[in-house]
Amino acid sequence: MRALRPLLFWTHLVSGVVAGAVVLIMSVTGVLLTYQKQMTLWADLRGVEAGPPTPGAVRLAPDSLLAIVTARGGKAPTAVVWRNGAEMPVEVQFGREGRQYLSAYTGEVVGTGSVAMRKVFTVATEWHRYLAMKDDDRATGKAITGWSNMAFLVLVLTGMVLWWPRNLTWSAVRSVLLFRRGLTGKARDFNWHNVIGIWSAVPLALVVASATVISFPWASDLVYRAVGEAPPPRSPEGAAGAAAGTATGARPAPAPTPLVGDVYAVAAERMPDWRAMSLAWPKAADAPLVYTIDRGMGGEPTKRATLTVSRSGEPTKWQPFDSLTTGRQLRNIMRFTHTGEVLGFWGQTLAGIVSLGASVLVVTGLLLSLRRLLAWRRRGARAEAPAVVAA
């Protein structure tokens, strides 16, 4: 271990110096994105009155509400989201072109979402994923953040060894486990770097490793291959075509009819404690209807299921989390491990805290590296001084 430690140290230092600035950007934006879903929904529904217009009013049947959406024409919806609760409106999404919130009782538009809040999170997301690069440069930005994330994973894994004291005495352990008061300069940075590094090491490793699966297709495929499954095929051309079709503002397809009759009853039967239910707008008149029913906060894959319904109104496929293949389950879990949502609100909070800690780790690490460089240059200058005098 003594022979290995210098190698780990220099690997740790070089990785931090090379990727530090990008990791800092991703960490800070990660903190900003911690409660993105909750804050966006709060901003969207603030001031929106969507409760029953009269006592005893009954919600419109889903097919009736969607017929109203279709009759309005204009932009093609991409999805419709119902949320459980008498005061909750129905959200009709139009891809990147926005959304409308409709009264579940009358079909009237009661809101269009918070443009300002979404703009804040859009900018934070663009920096987090692409370093704010646009259009064709996004691929470059994504590659930079992806490889910087890999460097960060190296930092975390090597740090787990370097942060731990060589001598397991209480005095040595305490100096890296607990914050010490009254420190300044290098001693303070070293103490903060060690304490935050040790306490956040495990959750930070999970957050960073799961980001690798999101960043690189080969890493995503590796999750499936690790459990003996073939990775699912990709169809980027089809996805691009779908996005282009959404952006044209073409008239929506005919209203999906029938809609299983009372879809609220269907959701309640399959998942009594459901909180949200979304319908991906079908792209063809004869395409089956695919509902996602969720009893969580939107990022807990174990609390989500899909229901496929034929156009004859018969449920044809019920797919809860435990019916997925092992590879698909692991991939879904890792996707939401990065944001902490896999563990709900408290998981999000933990991910936000370790992202904040990562920001401090980068800053203190760069300061320690800078001090090391300056000390090295001073030593070199002192070593050359006698030779200069003799000359």
Side-chain angles (χ1 to χ4, degrees):
M1 181 58 68
R2 287 184 177 180
L4 182 61
R5 197 176 184 96
L7 176 62
L8 293 178
F9 171 79
W10 285 107
T11 301
H12 187 86
L13 186 147
V14 172
S15 298
V17 170
V18 170
V22 178
V23 172
L24 180 60
I25 290 172
M26 292 190 294
S27 299
V28 171
T29 53
V31 176
L32 295 175
L33 293 168
T34 299
Y35 300 115
Q36 178 182 6
K37 289 180 179 177
Q38 291 94 328
M39 293 179 67
T40 300
L41 185 61
W42 169 80
D44 280 354
L45 300 186
R46 184 177 54 175
V48 170
E49 298 291 341
T54 59
V58 179
R59 286 187 169 203
L60 290 173
D63 51 353
S64 299
L65 186 141
L66 294 181
I68 294 174
V69 174
T70 304
R72 290 190 178 124
K75 295 177 290 187
T78 55
V80 182
V81 182
W82 292 267
R83 292 182 172 85
N84 207 351
E87 304 292 327
M88 300 301 292
V90 177
E91 180 182 0
V92 181
Q93 300 175 354
F94 298 97
R96 294 181 181 179
E97 296 187 31
R99 69 207 65 245
Q100 293 178 344
Y101 287 95
L102 311 182
S103 166
Y105 302 91
T106 65
E108 295 179 359
V109 178
V110 294
T112 55
S114 172
V115 176
M117 183 67 76
R118 291 181 182 278
K119 180 63 175 177
V120 169
F121 286 124
T122 297
V123 171
T125 300
E126 289 177 347
W127 276 99
H128 189 77
R129 295 179 180 175
Y130 317 111
L131 297 180
M133 295 184 183
K134 304 291 185 182
D135 303 323
D136 294 339
D137 293 332
R138 278 195 166 191
T140 301
K142 185 175 181 180
I144 294 173
T145 57
W147 286 108
S148 295
N149 183 77
M150 287 286 287
F152 194 19
L153 182 59
V154 171
L155 284 168
V156 175
L157 296 179
T158 54
M160 287 183 177
V161 178
L162 297 173
W163 290 323
W164 197 250
R166 301 181 189 184
N167 300 317
L168 291 180
T169 63
W170 170 239
S171 176
V173 172
R174 182 179 57 187
S175 67
V176 296
L177 281 182
L178 303 175
F179 289 110
R180 298 167 60 190
R181 297 180 180 180
L183 299 179
T184 59
K186 179 181 176 180
R188 177 202 59 208
D189 294 340
F190 185 81
N191 178 245
W192 287 13
H193 198 73
N194 279 272
V195 173
I196 295 174
I198 286 180
W199 285 104
S200 64
V202 173
L204 191 56
L206 293 174
V207 168
V208 177
S210 57
T212 303
V213 173
I214 298 172
S215 299
F216 298 104
W218 58 263
S220 178
D221 292 346
L222 189 62
V223 174
Y224 293 93
R225 293 194 175 101
V227 293
E229 295 181 16
R234 294 186 181 83
S235 54
E237 295 83 2
T246 299
T248 59
R251 291 180 63 85
T257 305
L259 279 172
V260 205
D262 187 356
V263 72
Y264 301 119
V266 173
E269 178 185 354
R270 300 277 180 167
M271 192 180 289
D273 56 346
W274 70 277
R275 298 179 65 178
M277 176 174 53
S278 62
L279 168 67
W281 195 272
K283 295 179 174 60
D286 58 349
L289 310 175
V290 180
Y291 294 89
T292 299
I293 306 176
D294 197 330
R295 61 186 178 87
M297 299 175 63
E300 299 168 89
T302 58
K303 297 182 179 181
R304 200 165 56 198
T306 58
L307 173 66
T308 304
V309 181
S310 69
R311 284 307 177 96
S312 65
E314 294 297 323
T316 59
K317 187 177 183 181
W318 172 248
Q319 194 173 40
F321 179 80
D322 57 12
S323 70
L324 301 177
T325 66
T326 302
R328 186 71 178 275
Q329 289 181 0
L330 288 175
R331 180 61 181 82
N332 286 349
I333 287 174
M334 293 193 74
R335 160 64 183 85
F336 293 103
T337 295
H338 180 61
T339 59
E341 293 174 281
V342 69
L343 297 178
F345 174 80
W346 295 112
Q348 283 180 276
T349 303
L350 179 60
I353 291 173
V354 297
S355 294
L356 180 61
S359 304
V360 179
L361 287 176
V362 173
V363 172
T364 54
L366 291 175
L367 288 175
L368 288 169
S369 300
L370 179 60
R371 288 191 176 92
R372 175 175 285 271
L373 174 62
L374 294 176
W376 173 75
R377 293 188 64 179
R378 285 195 296 269
R379 286 195 299 270
R382 286 195 297 268
E384 294 176 1
V388 173
V389 173

